[in-house]
Amino acid sequence: MTDVLYNASLYKNAAGTVLGVFAAARDVTVQKQAEAELRRYKDHLEEEVQQRTVDLVLARDAAEAANRAKSVFLSSMSHELRTPMNAILGFSNLMRRAESLSQEQRENLDIINRSGEHLLNLINDVLEMAKIEAGRVQVEHEPIDLGALVRDVSDMMAVRAREKGLQLLVDQSSEFPRYIRGDEARLRQVLINLVGNAVKFTPHGGITMRFGMKPDNTRLLIEVEDSGIGIKPADQLRIFEPFVQVGELSAQKGTGLGLTITRQFVQLMGGTIRVESEPGEGSTFRIELPVEKVDAWDVSRPEKVLKGEITGLAAGQPEYRILIVEDQLENQLLLTRLMTQVGLGVKVAENGQLGVALFQSWHPHLVWMDRRMPVMDGIEATRRIRELPGGADVKIVAVTASAFMEQRDEMLAAGMDEFVRKPYRFNEIYECLARQLGVQYTYASELDGEDISEEVMLTEKMLSVLSQALRDELRAALESLEINRIETAIDQVNDVKLNKILKHLATNFDYPAILKALQADSLEI
Ligand code: ADP
């Protein structure tokens, strides 16, 4: 159909007489169509906006659901992987304690244990990366013993270095604060990653770890230097990207995630990481981290090495009843053994509901509460117990394989007193009992549970039992920073207690503490 617009007007002379008619016709089909279209658009605009909004909401919901699914996946993977690791590490540790083992069996168990620890690290790596991607990493600011951390890492990595015929040294020439505020687990991982890489990419020579403070005393410097294959200038930035591996050696092993995680952690801690490298000569990774020094007594030491192994309960303790609420058979067994070994009374419930029932009939002093269980989970069981008569007094400790720190808040909000993460070290369990119930133990070592806090222990008086020659040698050895010489000097100290204290200080790189006591001693003379 065609739309036509007609126009007509009369043509008149000055006197008003009509002389004729002007008429015009115009085809306005297109214009009409456009107008109709416009009208339609106008009518539908609102509808369109609504539709788009709905689409957007759907897309957002889908993205959020995907994120949630990722988190759920992460936490369930974490649980699924860590729970059996707890049994592997725990039982191999328990077996190591048996006296009837041959040397070979003990070594085999050590290998199982070390491999387990390694596997756990791998699992943690992948989970950590996923957590970083999901934006779910929170750094801690707890007081930590940096000396002990450095010793742990160097002890652990020295084994790997030795296997390759490499030397791993901690250069102690510059002092670093022994106690700082920071994120122990992340810092440990950063060091392990860097030293691990250095060992991996160094065929000959050695690796040096160096620690020091910047002159303004607010930043900690960490260097890991190797005499390895080095990294080409073009690759020096790329290696921090995810899944990037360069050179021939790297393709065989590793995931290419190590340095990515390392850099992310350093940045989350407010620091920076750089690399300097000369191909064929070696590489130096340098980290700068803001640090705050803290007092020694703020640091909680999960494992007091000097206390020796816990063998049982001290005399005069009440008969404690401990309830284990856990669905996994292996983990039930492990915790049960740890409890019965020191003489604590135990009962086991395999889910939250049975746990609540046992709480009512048996009145335990403390409940080890697994978080995830069929029928009723640990959170719900805790809530219910808290509402029952006597429920406010019982101690409830979550035992969780969760990867997320924020779940701690959820557990505390449900009424749990504390939480222990799987895989746990045995002393974490025993110390938790001591904290919550005041349980006291007997120890295998001759130091017999005496709480040696090394900060107050070493005095000039104690060193005065040593000969002048030995004191001089000890001082010279400490000043030379040669670990073997220091160890030899300490080995000559016959006093068992003094020997242990010196060893403990030396292995924690607390040379200044010993030097101070020696200095005071020489000043007095
Ligand atoms: P990977 O798990 O593969 O070692 P990283 O992210 O830790 O992953 O390292 C990425 C790459 O950077 C390595 O594959 C290697 O090519 C290079 N690289 C890292 N550290 C060193 C080093 N100390 N010496 C030489 N090359 C290194």
Side-chain angles (χ1 to χ4, degrees), residues 11 61 65 80 84 94 104 118 124 134 155-157 169 180 218 223 247 259 277 353 359 373 421 479:
Y11 176 52
D61 287 352
E80 295 310 317
L94 263 188
E104 192 184 341
H118 181 60
N124 287 343
D155 277 359
M156 188 176 133
M157 303 310 287
L169 283 179
I180 60 167
T218 63
E223 276 184 12
L259 284 177
S277 182
Q353 200 171 55
F359 167 79
M373 283 173 293
R421 292 226 282 173
E479 280 164 1

Side-chain angles (χ1 to χ4, degrees), residues 317-361:
Q317 301 277 300
E319 285 196 7
Y320 289 112
R321 291 179 300 278
I322 310 289
L323 173 61
I324 297 169
V325 187
E326 159 79 74
D327 60 322
Q328 283 263 333
L329 184 64
E330 296 81 4
N331 286 313
Q332 284 172 8
L333 264 175
L334 182 58
L335 257 181
T336 305
R337 295 251 171 96
L338 289 179
M339 298 299 102
T340 52
Q341 249 184 12
V342 294
L344 295 162
V346 182
K347 278 192 198 255
V348 177
E350 62 201 39
N351 63 52
Q353 200 171 55
L354 295 172
V356 176
L358 258 176
F359 167 79
Q360 284 173 288
S361 59

Side-chain angles (χ1 to χ4, degrees), residues 193-194 197-202 226 228-231 239-241 243-247 250-251 253-260 262 277 282-283 285:
N193 285 356
L194 292 183
N197 275 348
V199 172
K200 196 154 76 174
F201 298 108
T202 304
D226 65 56
I229 58 172
I231 306 156
I239 54 172
F240 292 101
E241 301 301 321
F243 304 108
V244 169
Q245 299 184 306
V246 296
S250 55
K253 266 193 200 166
T255 53
L257 284 177
L259 284 177
T260 314
T262 301
S277 182
S283 314
F285 285 82

Side-chain angles (χ1 to χ4, degrees), residues 359 365-371 377-388 390-399 406-419 436:
F359 167 79
H365 296 91
L366 181 140
V367 183
W368 296 114
M369 184 71 84
D370 187 19
R371 212 184 87 88
D377 70 13
I379 301 263
E380 181 59 26
T382 303
R383 277 203 200 104
R384 296 208 182 176
I385 289 175
R386 288 297 185 214
E387 282 166 10
L388 290 168
D393 303 324
V394 63
K395 302 292 180 191
I396 305 181
V397 180
V399 185
E406 64 256 37
Q407 282 175 359
R408 174 176 58 180
D409 300 336
E410 184 195 6
M411 288 184 279
L412 298 181
M416 290 175 179
D417 293 289
E418 203 182 324
F419 84 103
Q436 293 296 338

